[in-house]
Amino acid sequence: MSNQAFFTEPGTLAAAAPGDLLSLEGPEGHHAVSVKRVRAGEHIDLLDGSGRRAVCTVDSTTKAALVARVDGLLDEPRHGVRVTLVQALAKGDRDLQAVESAVELGVDAIRPWAAERCVVKWAPERAAKARAKWSSTIRAAVKQSRRTVEPELFELAGTAALAQEIAAGAAREVPSLTLILHEASDAPLAAVLGSWLADHPALAGGAAAAVPLGRVELLVGPEGGISDAEIGKLTAAGARVAQVGTHVLRSSTAGPAALVLVRHLLNQLEAPASA
């Protein structure tokens, strides 16, 4: 069974070395000792979201903190093609369900989307609190899945801003593909992605890279769907519409389902090959 994982402050592991003693305090230390009942002598992993894992043995504990000795450090390579989930806000926390599953399934970044038909709105006075909830969901999913890299959470965007970003991405040197997941499309996602990979064959090997070699975005609409006007704006900017299977999927399901398929076609479900 894998070790329980806990987050340290960003950058904590950059200069860590075997034999070092690291302290875990604050809410995370309290969670480890008081909730998870971690005790001296147990093996745990410490993460700082950077891709580095410190495999540790707990040296001592207090009521709300622990000290762990570093046994070893692992730097996990990242895949060259970064995959982003653009998830429309949805009621009943279905958007957060999608975010949680996507993080566990290996997504690299997440952007909340204020689509036209969203029932849920992030009012200015509540936006910070709502975004914090998404951030907390991401962090919890990272810990649960024992990931070393915490996916980036971008700012909330409307459709116009997304269209501008898609158009700008098309002008970059890094190959980019934005897929609008929509049941009305007659183009299977695998076929659209396969066509793109045929134009960029080097991206299909699952190679590791310190910087992105390519980018794929998956756009998922709200409960009421994506409007024709929005599809028009987004496709005019360079996005492509694709279908995930033959059934109509909920907003909470479409993104994770597409993510698994995309990562499979990119050969990302195994450890990344050396670049």
Side-chain angles (χ1 to χ4, degrees):
M1 183 176 178
S2 58
N3 296 338
Q4 294 190 80
F6 302 96
F7 265 89
T8 63
E9 292 297 317
T12 298
L13 304 182
D20 287 354
L21 291 175
L22 301 176
S23 297
L24 187 66
E25 303 173 340
E28 195 74 347
H30 177 270
H31 181 73
V33 175
S34 298
V35 179
K36 292 296 186 178
R37 302 293 183 183
V38 172
R39 295 294 179 260
E42 293 187 27
H43 299 294
I44 64 171
D45 290 348
L46 294 181
L47 318 171
D48 66 358
S50 67
R52 172 166 284 196
R53 180 190 308 273
V55 181
C56 305
T57 300
V58 178
D59 188 74
S60 62
T61 64
T62 63
K63 289 184 178 181
L66 63 80
V67 175
R69 187 179 303 275
V70 178
D71 298 322
L73 294 157
L74 299 173
D75 289 304
E76 299 184 9
R78 300 188 66 180
H79 291 279
V81 180
R82 307 290 198 260
V83 184
T84 298
L85 172 65
V86 180
Q87 176 66 47
L89 305 182
K91 63 182 181 180
D93 283 345
R94 292 193 182 278
D95 46 11
L96 292 177
Q97 291 175 33
V99 168
E100 179 180 56
S101 296
V103 172
E104 294 174 5
L105 293 167
V107 79
D108 296 293
I110 292 170
R111 181 183 291 283
W113 176 22
E116 288 179 8
R117 294 176 177 171
C118 285
V119 176
V120 174
K121 307 292 183 183
W122 283 10
E125 65 274 11
R126 299 180 58 191
K129 183 177 180 180
R131 190 177 189 280
K133 191 173 182 180
W134 280 51
S135 180
S136 177
T137 299
I138 290 171
R139 172 64 63 91
V142 169
K143 290 170 58 179
Q144 190 281 328
S145 57
R146 311 296 199 263
R147 289 185 61 175
T148 60
V149 176
E150 184 169 358
E152 184 174 2
L153 176 60
F154 295 118
E155 295 296 331
L156 176 70
T159 301
L162 280 182
Q164 291 178 352
E165 289 185 6
I166 293 167
R172 296 193 196 108
E173 293 184 4
V174 175
S176 299
L177 174 66
T178 299
L179 297 171
I180 304 169
L181 307 183
H182 199 283
E183 72 275 7
S185 173
D186 57 3
L189 185 153
V192 178
L193 182 63
S195 175
W196 182 69
L197 289 176
D199 294 332
H200 308 285
L203 301 181
V211 296
L213 304 177
R215 300 178 188 274
V216 174
E217 287 187 325
L218 304 173
L219 272 64
V220 179
E223 305 93 326
I226 306 172
S227 72
D228 291 342
E230 286 179 306
I231 291 176
K233 291 177 184 177
L234 296 170
T235 54
R240 300 183 66 181
V241 185
Q243 181 191 71
V244 184
T246 57
H247 301 146
V248 177
L249 303 179
R250 285 187 180 274
S251 182
S252 56
T253 309
L259 175 62
V260 173
L261 178 57
V262 167
R263 297 197 68 220
H264 167 67
L265 295 171
L266 292 172
N267 291 311
Q268 290 188 355
L269 296 184
E270 302 292 338
S274 299

